[in-house]
């Protein structure tokens, strides 16, 4: 009897033994279906089991079937094991990310098409003539496409088929993406760009290496790293380009198409199940040569991955905070090393981790020093809110308003940046001081006036604005405190009544397509003022934008996060870098209460290296990452005493090791989320220490969790709330 251990994509660490029925050829990596309780699940053969537990013999079930898809290669299986060990996530949960192709792995569905075949129909209608006009060239098209394009119901097309005017036929299945041409449109590079492209091209041949492509916003980093993608293409290998957010893929897709003649395949959460399944298959079979995707694309079963690019590598969106908690940039380096292939990390403001690796020679650095000839970095000026702030109840200082007016007069665009969604972060009763708070969380409700809702940003709780104060019963007594982008829009509309204003904020995004359209409208100059959250800070190229005003530059500095200064520097640097990318000189204004803060000083002096040098020194002194390792443990429960007492007992059983300091438990800054009380513990160790191994040992000794007590472990945490 042959037995294999299969891993099921559910939140379990352990593989299960199944008998291999006679005649079924199975090897590790094969995708199979197995019975689990009453249902059937897709799973992966992980290892042969030469000595199955004899006690299980008569309870063991048979593998049902083998799926007709390429097996997961050892490289990917090792990667899954590694990520699981490092992040302490169950292996099945990590595997699930590699198998996110939905339930559509069966044979591809036939596409029905139509084309012109016979004489015109006896009865002609406007709808029919639109269909016939569309098909007049004699080419075959998808039936649904014809109906959609001609603006008729499918019945109209069917009617024409019935009368013999059209014939239906089976169309060949459409490829997920057509083959890109490495030499379709070779760019005109400046000497500096050529040198950088050449350096990147050279790493393609050399096995594993990590390289930081470091260049200011607008220096042409994308065009340059596409040359590495081209070189990889010429070797007929696959490339993965990771981007932090789906919205960012749009411009990448266009640039890619300009360079290679076609768009690459995409991978993100908004693909339809059918496209997802087809893309997964095409990646596994090697049919797709380039994938651009969000972090989950890192777990796809590439047939022959030759290159990974992590664009905007410093972006916090690369950290997945739910399910398996992993950092896609760090895990991308792990996958590249395991696969023996080069990885490129791309940023104008590298993470401190990456900057340190580059300074110490662990990563190579390819530098792109300047913008294209006609471009200059924006001039940055601080507006000291203590001395020259806006009038009471207003948020745009006179200096910024003046500069915006002047920019609009010149026919240029202005971007007002405020990293706060909604209308106001806090609503209180003018009469009794009552503050509207979330019933489930330790957080204020945010006024979202466009949607007429008060919303909790932590749990999603939402309610209409109350007519009267719940405490003193006064009516019309609520006032908004502080600004959000929606309130800024109101102020801008009053200051600049003739201008066309667009608010870009993730909560207002209806769909990726709609967002792409709006970004394109901005690029085409259909708006004068853009008011946006961090959604606008990233990647987008707006040629008419010459002024960026940061309405609250201090916003990110005061949250107790060890990366607060780094994040603020990166975000503000990036958003101001949106200005003046095409012509003229951009200007940036920082409204701040602390113009002497190192972040503001570095931004104003355009002295990036000074910022990194001081930040790195601080991290080294405090032994924060990358000089030390951190892991957080969050204990939560519906009742505060239960959470607190479990957290204390957990702390008490932490293994005593010289290298590790355990801090806490302390009540989390966000003390209650979704009705659960939270306590945090932090483990801190030197860089070279195996902190994941320590945590495993600790958790093995942890007291049993009873009731609704939950423990979340986060290795290399990015959030400290
Ligand atoms: Zn009141
Ligand atoms: Zn809430």
């Amino acid at each position: 009897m042959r037995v294999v251990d299969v891993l099921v994509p559910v939140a379990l660490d352990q593989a299960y033994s199944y008998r291999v029925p006679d005649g079924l050829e199975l090897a590790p990596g094969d995708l199979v279906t197995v019975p689990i309780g009453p249902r059937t699940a897709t799973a992966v053969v992980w290892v042969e089991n030469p000595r199955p537990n004899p006690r299980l013999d008569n309870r063991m079930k048979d593998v049902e079937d083998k799926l007709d898809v390429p097996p997961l290669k050892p490289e990917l299986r090792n990667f899954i094991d590694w990520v699981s060990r490092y992040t302490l996530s169950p292996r099945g949960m990590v595997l699930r990310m590699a198998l996110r192709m939905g339930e559509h792995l069966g044979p591809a569905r036939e596409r029905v098409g139509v084309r012109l075949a016979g004489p015109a129909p006896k009865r002609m209608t406007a709808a029919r003539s639109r269909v016939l006009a569309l098909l007049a060239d004699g080419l075959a098209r998808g039936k649904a496409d014809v109906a959609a394009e001609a603006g008729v119901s499918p019945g109209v097309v069917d009617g024409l088929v019935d009368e013999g005017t059209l014939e239906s036929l089976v169309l060949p299945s459409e490829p997920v993406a057509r083959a890109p041409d490495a030499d379709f449109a070779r760019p005109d590079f400046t000497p500096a760009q050529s040198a950088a492209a050449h350096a990147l091209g050279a790493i393609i041949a050399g096995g594993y290496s990590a390289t930081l492509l470091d260049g200011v916003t607008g220096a042409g980093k994308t065009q340059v790293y596409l040359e590495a993608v081209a070189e990889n293409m010429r070797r007929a290998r696959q490339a993965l380009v990771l981007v932090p957010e789906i919205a960012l893929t749009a411009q990448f897709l266009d640039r890619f198409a300009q360079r290679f003649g076609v768009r690459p395949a995409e991978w993100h959460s908004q693909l339809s199940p059918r496209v997802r399944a087809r893309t997964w298959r095409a990646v596994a079979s090697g049919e797709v040569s380039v994938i651009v995707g969000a972090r989950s694309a890192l777990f796809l079963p590439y047939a022959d991955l030759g290159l990974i690019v992590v664009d905007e590598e410093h972006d916090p969106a690369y950290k997945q905070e739910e399910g398996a908690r992993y950092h896609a940039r760090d895990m991308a380096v792990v996958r590249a090393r395991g696969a023996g292939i080069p990885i490129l990390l791309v940023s104008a403001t590298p993470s401190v981790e990456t900057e340190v690796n580059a300074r110490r020679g662990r990563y190579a650095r390819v530098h792109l020093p300047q913008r294209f000839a006609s471009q200059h970095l924006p001039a940055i000026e601080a507006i000291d809110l203590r001395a020259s702030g806006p009038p009471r109840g207003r948020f745009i200082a006179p200096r910024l308003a003046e500069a915006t007016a002047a920019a609009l007069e010149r026919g240029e665009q202005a971007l007002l940046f405020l990293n706060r969604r909604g209308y106001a972060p806090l609503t209180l009763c003018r009469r009794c001081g009552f503050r509207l708070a979330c019933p489930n969380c330790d957080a204020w409700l945010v006024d979202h006036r466009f949607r007429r809702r008060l919303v909790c940003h932590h749990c999603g709780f939402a309610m209409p604005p109350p007519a009267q104060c719940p405490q003193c019963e006064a009516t019309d007594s609520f006032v908004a405190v502080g600004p959000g982008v929606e309130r800024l829009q109101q102020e801008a509309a009053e200051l600049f009544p003739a201008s066309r204003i667009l608010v870009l904020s993730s909560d207002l995004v209806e769909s990726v397509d709609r967002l792409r359209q709006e970004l394109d409208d901005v690029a085409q100059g259909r708006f004068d003022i853009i008011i946006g959250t961090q959604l606008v800070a990233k990647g987008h190229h707006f040629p008419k934008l010459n002024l960026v005003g940061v309405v609250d530059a201090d916003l990110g500095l005061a949250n107790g996060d060890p990366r607060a200064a780094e994040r603020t520097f990166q975000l503000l640097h990036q958003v101001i870098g949106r200005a003046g990318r095409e012509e003229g000189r951009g200007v940036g204004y920082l409204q701040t209460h602390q113009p002497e803060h190192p972040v503001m000083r570095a931004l104003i002096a355009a002295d990036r290296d000074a910022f990194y040098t001081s930040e790195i020194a601080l991290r080294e002194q405090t032994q924060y990452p990358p000089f030390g390792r951190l892991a957080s443990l969050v204990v939560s429960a519906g009742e505060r005493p239960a959470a607190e007492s479990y957290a204390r007992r957990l702390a008490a059983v932490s293994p005593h090791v010289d290298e590790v300091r355990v801090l806490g438990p302390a009540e989390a800054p966000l003390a209650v989320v979704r009705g659960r009380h939270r306590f945090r513990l932090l483990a801190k160790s030197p860089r070279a220490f195996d902190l994941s191994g320590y945590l495993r040992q600790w958790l093995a000794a942890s007291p049993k969790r009873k009731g609704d007590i939950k423990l979340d472990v986060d290795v290399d945490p990015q959030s400290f709330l």
Side-chain angles (χ1 to χ4, degrees):
M1 183 182 71
R2 229 184 114 200
V3 171
V4 290
D5 288 354
V6 311
L7 196 58
V8 186
V10 297
L12 290 169
D13 202 43
Q14 149 197 22
Y16 288 94
S17 299
Y18 283 85
R19 273 194 306 248
V20 182
D22 289 341
L24 193 62
E25 285 288 327
L26 281 186
D30 280 340
L31 271 73
V32 292
T33 52
V34 293
I36 292 183
R39 61 187 192 95
T40 296
T42 301
V44 178
V45 177
W46 218 247
V47 283
E48 286 278 347
N49 186 341
R51 274 184 297 279
N53 184 344
R55 281 183 309 155
L56 291 175
D57 266 6
N58 39 14
R59 279 194 291 147
M60 206 182 292
K61 292 180 182 165
D62 283 5
V63 171
E64 274 179 9
D65 208 356
K66 177 176 156 182
L67 296 180
D68 180 23
V69 290
L72 301 192
K73 302 192 333 178
E75 177 262 312
L76 178 54
R77 282 180 279 133
N78 291 339
F79 178 58
I80 289 168
D81 283 337
W82 199 99
V83 172
S84 159
R85 258 199 318 276
Y86 186 79
T87 62
L88 279 86
S89 309
R91 278 191 300 173
M93 198 186 256
V94 181
L95 173 66
R96 191 156 66 194
M97 298 192 284
L99 295 186
R100 265 194 204 139
M101 67 306 210
E103 301 296 317
H104 292 70
L105 266 190
R109 238 176 42 191
E110 279 184 350
R111 280 174 74 226
V112 179
V114 289
R115 72 175 162 215
L116 215 51
K122 293 196 190 70
R123 193 174 56 85
M124 199 50 137
T125 63
R128 285 183 160 191
S129 63
R130 282 205 301 279
V131 171
L132 294 180
L134 186 66
L135 291 166
D137 56 12
L139 297 177
R141 289 179 177 75
K143 195 173 96 178
D145 299 340
V146 169
E149 218 173 304
V152 304
S153 72
V156 173
V157 182
D158 287 333
L160 287 165
V161 171
D162 291 343
E163 289 192 32
T165 305
L166 303 181
E167 67 174 348
S168 63
L169 67 165
V170 173
L171 295 176
S173 71
E174 231 176 325
V176 169
R178 283 179 295 132
D181 174 359
D183 300 304
F184 179 78
R186 308 191 66 165
D188 289 329
F189 277 150
T190 63
Q193 288 171 326
S194 285
H198 191 76
L200 297 187
I203 66 168
I204 295 300
Y208 169 74
S209 62
T211 305
L212 167 62
L213 173 58
D214 169 5
V216 296
T217 313
K221 292 189 293 294
T222 309
Q223 288 92 329
V224 166
Y225 77 64
L226 284 180
E227 293 314 298
V229 173
E231 191 51 38
N232 188 59
M233 232 176 244
R234 292 186 192 105
R235 290 167 181 264
R237 303 193 74 184
Q238 293 172 298
L240 161 64
V241 178
L242 286 174
V243 293
E245 271 175 37
I246 331 168
L248 281 182
T249 56
Q251 288 199 341
F252 178 83
L253 296 175
D254 291 343
R255 294 231 187 124
F256 188 93
Q258 284 161 15
R259 175 64 184 81
F260 297 116
V262 296
R263 290 181 151 216
E266 297 176 65
W267 185 263
H268 51 69
S269 59
Q270 300 213 357
L271 296 180
S272 74
R274 207 135 59 82
V275 172
R276 174 177 293 270
R278 280 174 46 207
T279 306
W280 191 92
R281 236 179 215 287
V283 167
S285 68
E287 178 195 326
V288 152
S289 75
V290 180
I291 279 271
V292 53
R295 55 186 181 234
S296 58
L298 184 59
F299 291 89
L300 285 173
Y302 298 93
D304 184 21
L305 189 58
L307 171 68
I308 302 176
V309 179
V310 184
D311 205 348
E312 307 286 0
E313 67 86 32
H314 62 277
D315 196 301
Y318 279 122
K319 179 70 192 266
Q320 172 153 302
E321 297 286 1
E322 266 158 28
R325 289 191 165 87
Y326 69 95
H327 198 297
R329 176 199 60 228
D330 298 346
M331 295 305 114
V333 174
V334 171
R335 185 154 190 190
R337 200 191 298 131
I341 59 170
I343 180 167
L344 286 180
L345 306 172
V346 183
S347 179
T349 51
S351 62
V352 167
E353 284 87 345
T354 297
E355 178 66 22
V356 168
N357 280 327
R359 287 188 180 193
R360 306 220 159 164
R362 277 192 289 268
Y363 295 175
R365 187 197 300 264
V366 171
H367 199 69
L368 266 180
Q370 64 215 357
R371 290 187 163 194
F372 292 117
S374 63
Q375 301 173 341
H376 302 277
L377 284 174
I380 302 174
E381 186 183 306
I383 298 174
D384 188 342
L385 291 173
R386 296 165 304 188
S388 33
R392 208 179 147 72
R394 298 278 173 167
F395 304 96
I396 300 172
R399 176 89 184 93
L400 177 56
E402 238 169 69
T404 304
L408 297 178
E409 199 128 299
R410 290 192 299 269
E412 298 167 1
Q413 288 171 323
L415 166 65
L416 300 179
F417 175 76
L418 176 63
N419 203 15
R420 231 178 210 161
R421 292 172 283 151
Y423 184 86
L426 170 64
T427 304
L428 61 75
C429 172
R430 191 187 298 128
R431 226 179 91 184
C432 72
F434 181 80
R435 297 165 170 217
L436 289 171
C438 175
N440 313 318
C441 305
D442 183 19
W444 309 125
L445 291 176
V446 179
D447 183 1
H448 283 256
R449 229 162 254 200
F450 290 5
R451 288 186 286 152
R452 295 195 48 76
R453 276 279 185 281
L454 293 159
V455 180
C456 171
H457 284 179
H458 298 286
C459 72
F461 170 87
M463 64 180 222
Q468 50 173 223
C469 173
Q471 186 164 284
C472 71
E473 299 186 348
T475 50
D476 287 331
S477 67
F478 284 115
V479 284
V481 180
V485 281
E486 295 177 12
R487 191 169 195 180
L488 216 50
Q489 192 242 16
Q490 197 177 49
E491 187 174 334
E494 283 164 21
L495 285 170
F496 315 106
S499 60
R500 298 162 297 173
I501 302 175
L502 176 69
V503 178
L504 283 173
S505 171
S506 57
D507 60 302
L508 301 172
V509 172
E510 287 164 23
S511 69
V512 171
D513 285 342
R514 177 75 197 277
L515 176 63
R516 287 177 180 176
Q517 183 58 50
E518 286 180 335
L519 292 171
D520 189 54
D521 285 344
V522 175
Q524 302 295 326
R526 294 190 194 105
F527 290 97
D528 307 307
I529 298 178
I530 303 100
I531 295 175
T533 61
Q534 60 181 9
L535 187 68
V536 298
K538 301 175 182 177
H540 318 298
H541 184 61
F542 302 139
K544 289 186 184 349
L545 180 68
N546 267 346
L547 179 147
V548 173
V550 177
V551 173
D552 186 351
D554 310 331
L555 192 56
L557 285 176
N559 62 5
D561 181 329
R563 291 188 182 84
E566 177 190 348
R567 292 271 161 77
T568 303
F569 178 79
Q570 286 161 341
L571 186 59
L572 298 186
H573 185 280
Q574 203 167 19
V575 71
I576 292 173
R578 301 290 122 218
R581 297 196 42 184
E582 200 85 333
E583 52 197 50
R585 178 145 202 209
V587 286
Y589 293 91
L590 297 169
Q591 297 196 155
T592 174
H593 286 96
Q594 34 189 337
E596 69 293 337
H597 191 285
V599 168
M600 307 304 156
R601 291 221 313 252
L603 286 168
I604 292 160
D607 194 349
R608 198 190 78 166
D609 284 347
F611 173 74
Y612 280 106
T613 300
S614 75
E615 184 66 19
I616 288 169
L618 189 68
R619 299 272 182 100
E620 190 159 19
Q621 188 195 335
T622 53
Q623 290 293 296
Y624 271 118
F627 300 99
R629 286 183 193 280
L630 294 176
S632 80
L633 294 86
V634 174
V635 175
S636 66
E639 301 295 330
R640 191 177 186 279
E644 183 171 16
S645 90
Y646 185 84
R648 289 196 185 290
R649 283 185 292 142
L650 184 63
V653 298
S654 63
H656 290 286
V657 177
D658 282 348
E659 289 93 331
V660 182
R661 276 185 67 200
V662 174
L663 309 165
E667 190 162 58
L670 253 174
V672 187
V673 175
R674 294 171 201 268
R676 297 179 67 83
H677 295 260
R678 305 165 74 241
F679 283 80
R680 293 183 67 97
L681 293 142
L682 195 66
K684 206 172 161 199
S685 81
R687 187 188 139 79
F689 184 79
D690 174 16
L691 190 56
S692 299
Y694 173 88
L695 292 169
R696 229 182 317 282
Q697 198 189 337
W698 184 0
L699 295 185
S702 65
K704 208 170 147 50
R705 288 190 289 283
K706 295 196 192 102
D708 69 343
I709 292 172
K710 223 180 117 200
L711 173 61
D712 285 305
V713 180
D714 188 355
V715 179
D716 303 338
Q718 298 283 312
S719 164
F720 294 82
L721 290 178

